[in-house]
Amino acid sequence: MFALLCFSINLYICRKPCELDGARLSATENHPVSFHVSASSPGGVTLLPRCTDQRTDTCPNVVSPLLPYISDLHSFSILTLYLCHSPSLSVLTSSFLPDYISGDFDSITPEVKAFYADKGCELIETADQDLTDYTKCLVKMLEEIRRRKLQVDTIVTLGGLAGRFDQTMASVETLFHAQSMTQLPVLIIQETSLAYLLRPGIHRLGVNTGLEGEWCSLIPIGGPCQTVTTGLKWNLDNQVLQFGTLVSTSNTYEPTAPGSPRKPVTVTTDQPLLWSMGLHIHEK
Amino acid sequence: MVHDEGQGIQCFSTSGKQRICLIILNQPIDKKHLHTLWGKALLRACADGGANQLHNITAGDRDNFLPDYISGDFDSITPEVKAFYADKGCELIETADQDLTDYTKCLVKMLEEIRRRKLQVDTIVTLGGLAGRFDQTMASVETLFHAQSMTQLPVLIIQETSLAYLLRPGIHRLGVNTGLEGEWCSLIPIGGPCQTVTTGLKWNLDNQVLQFGTLVSTSNTYEPTAPGSPRKPVTVTTDQPLLWSMGLHIHEK
């Protein structure tokens, strides 16, 4: 099971108008939302396997549990949602009520706030100006996970990688803070981009679900990273990734024989290193 | 050395006398940005799919928006767009180098042309590059790093209402009183820690180290001033390259 946060522009899950239980949903921009998926869809749940190996961060199939939910809203049946801020969904069913909405409430509209308050969603005003709404929402999410004793594999965030450029960078900063707040992986997804901050150490990333796009990258945001990789078309062989010297963008996966599965990508880094990859919206 | 960048954002002022060169990347173009900047540009170029964007946004008036050149590995430009601009006499420069991005290669060519034509240029302005595929957003920032070893000219990136500009180590004075500034600004230590001092911001830095995981200045704003008083310039002192990013109003107040 995983907990889902949605933040900022272009609500991914409603990127285009879609039908759900006969209700028409449409999303407007600049409205963050977060979700917690608490039950399975009729088609069954593909769960992200728990990362149990203490020495290596094994997170195969990073994308697969998420995409069935995103690509086909008809498969959603029961969802309990946490919202940071909500979109102006024109019609809502009870399937899309967040567990909570948190933030300093300078973006949420009065109508939306009233709507969710009426539905009994918890509204948590967090005035702290030193932390972003995203960070504060994540703090609350982790508290709730602990309080409810939930077994969670991943925290997924929708939105955060486009729009105001300082807020894109602030999303990345939240990923840094998350590393000292929790061992859980925290991902950000917007449109066809996924971003995931790798801790220092060895990582094995499964990239064979068919949901991966063609590109991937390793971005030393924050400082130089001595890096070794396998499974990429252009691997790093103990090289230092650093802005101004070497940043791996527009990379791709090691070619395999037709019909052969892609090998996992392994990344070893001595500093936090941002992994970013493309996604296909619809499973191939 | 004090870098006086009062002029940077004035490239947007319709009355300004900024001499710029324009690079268009493969992201949706704001029509108002384009119309304001095209007229001030001594040179205009598209990086690969940037030509698709230009072609799209100038429908009905394309002859008035012909780039001097289009460069790149041409895996994004459509055959129709490529043929259109070739027919109009625009130079098409295929750059196969896989180690550099289309943006970097376009910038290299731009600097060559500026030298060859002996142009007096104040700023190189880039449209697009801060949204879309996330690795390409980061690659745009990497190009700003490379630019610092390629030229002394400021290189800006603008997309929608965001502007990004990489400050070199040293002291910078940024004029922020043109009326074109939005409310927010930020200092982002994207390549590594930066010991930073600022004035003119609402939340100034007093010899603090900006670093991802410790302190990143986002959603900052300008020091409040008395009504009617102009904003003071922002000064930034940094020991490492530091990314300044700010909001823009598309329309002059």
Side-chain angles (χ1 to χ4, degrees):
Chain A
M1 289 212 283
F2 53 97
L4 199 67
L5 284 94
C6 261
F7 173 72
S8 196
I9 297 177
N10 287 335
L11 180 60
Y12 187 93
I13 201 167
C14 295
R15 207 163 71 94
K16 38 189 203 289
C18 46
E19 296 288 335
L20 179 67
D21 296 336
R24 191 120 188 106
L25 297 175
S26 60
T28 58
E29 298 195 352
N30 295 315
H31 290 287
V33 166
S34 70
F35 303 83
H36 167 71
V37 178
S38 66
S40 62
S41 71
V45 172
T46 306
L47 296 178
L48 182 69
R50 191 89 46 87
C51 301
T52 55
D53 190 323
Q54 297 298 319
R55 286 172 294 113
T56 68
D57 187 344
T58 302
C59 288
N61 297 336
V62 171
V63 170
S64 63
L66 179 63
L67 268 296
Y69 293 91
I70 288 190
S71 61
D72 179 8
L73 280 181
H74 292 279
S75 73
F76 287 114
S77 58
I78 306 162
L79 292 174
T80 309
L81 303 175
Y82 287 106
L83 282 184
C84 287
H85 297 272
S86 74
S88 294
L89 298 175
S90 55
V91 178
L92 282 176
T93 71
S94 58
S95 299
F96 288 93
L97 296 176
D99 291 90
Y100 68 89
I101 303 172
S102 70
D104 53 18
F105 292 167
D106 61 357
S107 299
I108 191 170
T109 66
E111 300 75 31
V112 168
K113 193 173 169 189
F115 176 89
Y116 285 113
D118 283 351
K119 295 284 185 180
C121 305
E122 196 182 352
L123 266 55
I124 305 164
E125 194 162 350
T126 52
D128 185 347
Q129 286 305 311
D130 283 345
L131 299 177
T132 61
D133 288 335
Y134 177 24
T135 303
K136 290 182 284 191
C137 195
L138 181 60
V139 167
K140 172 68 178 176
M141 176 78 65
L142 295 170
E143 284 172 10
E144 279 299 301
I145 290 169
R146 277 190 291 270
R147 192 177 71 81
R148 301 187 194 199
K149 296 180 167 45
L150 299 174
Q151 296 298 316
V152 177
D153 299 301
T154 313
I155 295 177
V156 182
T157 312
L158 287 183
L161 300 180
R164 252 177 62 169
F165 190 67
D166 67 330
Q167 290 179 341
T168 299
M169 294 293 97
S171 303
V172 174
E173 175 67 349
T174 297
L175 295 183
F176 274 80
H177 285 306
Q179 293 202 339
S180 55
M181 285 158 43
T182 176
Q183 287 300 309
L184 292 177
V186 182
L187 313 181
I188 303 179
I189 293 172
Q190 180 157 1
E191 291 174 40
T192 57
S193 293
L194 177 152
Y196 172 48
L197 186 64
L198 305 172
R199 295 169 192 273
I202 308 169
H203 302 265
R204 189 163 78 230
L205 309 170
V207 289
N208 192 44
T209 63
L211 299 162
E212 297 78 14
E214 290 312 306
W215 64 270
C216 57
S217 64
L218 287 163
I219 300 153
I221 282 190
C225 301
Q226 188 147 14
T227 314
V228 181
T229 68
T230 66
L232 298 176
K233 181 167 181 183
W234 292 284
N235 281 309
L236 294 149
D237 184 15
N238 232 355
Q239 288 154 278
V240 174
L241 290 174
Q242 182 171 18
F243 271 95
T245 309
L246 181 64
V247 177
S248 178
T249 60
S250 293
N251 207 332
T252 188
Y253 305 100
E254 187 181 308
T256 56
S260 294
R262 273 186 187 146
K263 299 187 318 200
V265 169
T266 72
V267 182
T268 306
T269 176
D270 65 340
Q271 295 294 332
L273 178 59
L274 194 71
W275 163 260
S276 183
M277 62 188 285
L279 307 172
H280 283 301
I281 295 178
H282 302 285
E283 195 164 352
K284 280 179 169 170
Chain B
M1 177 185 171
V2 179
H3 303 270
D4 195 341
E5 285 101 349
Q7 310 89 329
I9 190 177
Q10 284 172 4
C11 58
F12 276 101
S13 170
T14 48
S15 60
K17 293 185 173 54
Q18 276 270 296
R19 294 157 306 189
I20 68 167
C21 290
L22 187 62
I23 293 178
I24 296 173
L25 301 184
N26 192 8
Q27 280 292 302
I29 301 174
D30 176 86
K31 203 178 243 189
K32 183 73 165 59
H33 285 335
L34 181 70
H35 284 231
T36 303
L37 296 170
W38 190 273
K40 295 174 189 293
L42 304 178
L43 280 176
R44 305 112 172 179
C46 299
D48 201 355
N52 299 337
Q53 303 289 347
L54 181 66
H55 188 264
N56 178 50
I57 202 71
T58 57
D61 196 19
R62 291 191 176 116
D63 283 1
N64 287 324
F65 291 93
L66 300 176
D68 292 274
Y69 67 91
I70 302 170
S71 69
D73 51 18
F74 292 163
D75 61 356
S76 298
I77 192 171
T78 67
E80 301 74 32
V81 168
K82 192 173 170 190
F84 175 86
Y85 287 114
D87 284 350
K88 296 286 181 179
C90 306
E91 197 182 352
L92 266 56
I93 306 166
E94 194 161 352
T95 53
D97 185 349
Q98 286 305 311
D99 282 344
L100 299 177
T101 61
D102 288 336
Y103 177 23
T104 303
K105 289 182 285 190
C106 194
L107 181 60
V108 167
K109 171 68 180 176
M110 176 76 63
L111 296 171
E112 283 171 11
E113 277 301 297
I114 289 170
R115 276 191 293 268
R116 193 177 70 81
R117 301 187 196 199
K118 297 181 169 42
L119 297 174
Q120 294 300 315
V121 177
D122 298 305
T123 313
I124 296 177
V125 180
T126 313
L127 281 184
L130 301 181
R133 255 178 59 171
F134 190 66
D135 68 329
Q136 289 179 343
T137 299
M138 295 293 98
S140 303
V141 174
E142 175 65 349
T143 296
L144 295 184
F145 275 80
H146 285 306
Q148 294 201 340
S149 53
M150 286 158 45
T151 177
Q152 287 300 310
L153 291 176
V155 181
L156 313 180
I157 304 179
I158 291 170
Q159 180 158 359
E160 291 173 42
T161 58
S162 293
L163 176 152
Y165 172 49
L166 186 64
L167 305 173
R168 296 167 191 275
I171 307 169
H172 300 264
R173 190 163 74 226
L174 309 169
V176 290
N177 192 44
T178 64
L180 301 160
E181 298 79 15
E183 291 310 306
W184 63 270
C185 57
S186 63
L187 288 163
I188 298 152
I190 204 162
C194 300
Q195 189 148 13
T196 313
V197 181
T198 68
T199 67
L201 298 175
K202 182 167 181 184
W203 292 284
N204 282 308
L205 293 149
D206 184 13
N207 233 355
Q208 288 153 278
V209 174
L210 290 174
Q211 182 171 20
F212 271 92
T214 309
L215 181 64
V216 178
S217 178
T218 60
S219 292
N220 207 332
T221 188
Y222 304 102
E223 186 181 309
T225 56
S229 295
R231 275 187 186 144
K232 301 189 311 200
V234 169
T235 72
V236 183
T237 306
T238 175
D239 66 339
Q240 296 294 332
L242 177 58
L243 194 70
W244 164 260
S245 183
M246 63 188 284
L248 305 172
H249 285 300
I250 294 178
H251 304 286
E252 195 163 352
K253 279 179 170 170

